[in-house]
Amino acid sequence: MSLISPRVTQVAKFFTDANFYISVIFLVYGGLTAITENYSIFEFNEDLFGIMHNNLRIALLYLAMTEVVICVYCFISNQPKMMLFVGYFLIMMMGSSTFYGKVNSIPIDNNIPLFFLYTGISHILFGLLLSLEKVNTKKYS
């Protein structure tokens, strides 16, 4: 006997899936636009020039490209539980970006840690829900 109705589960799955896809689009958009001056969703200190300032921008661009590759791989291989690990590493990026800013004396936009927190939690919820769904399907079939 299930404590949660199937309808509630379907609604939760719909919102988790939608949130995941929005977070992927947000992550890719944020990474791709980080290299532009006018369209970035983050504020970079324009007074800083050179290698340290551009490293963060390039890292966000690489993150966007990596996200696309990981998502394609996960859906082709039908292994959504990998998103749990991707989410974990996105949350770890919160601390890494803050550490990078302190070590290199570069002010980091306050939205960057929130960006990693949102995308990380979205990935974890998506991977967790699909993994549990797979386990339940195997268990009852």
Side-chain angles (χ1 to χ4, degrees), residues 28-39:
V28 171
Y29 178 78
L32 292 176
T33 61
I35 60 172
T36 66
E37 292 294 327
N38 299 326
Y39 300 107

Side-chain angles (χ1 to χ4, degrees), residues 19-74:
N19 184 53
F20 170 74
Y21 294 119
I22 289 169
S23 75
V24 168
I25 291 168
F26 186 54
L27 194 146
V28 171
Y29 178 78
L32 292 176
T33 61
I35 60 172
T36 66
E37 292 294 327
N38 299 326
Y39 300 107
S40 180
I41 59 175
F42 305 115
E43 291 182 27
F44 295 100
N45 187 350
E46 299 302 325
D47 296 334
L48 295 172
F49 296 101
I51 230 164
M52 290 301 156
H53 182 247
N54 291 326
N55 280 349
L56 185 58
R57 289 176 182 246
I58 296 300
L60 289 169
L61 175 65
Y62 286 155
L63 184 65
M65 294 186 313
T66 304
E67 177 72 13
V68 171
V69 172
I70 289 173
C71 283
V72 168
Y73 174 77
C74 286

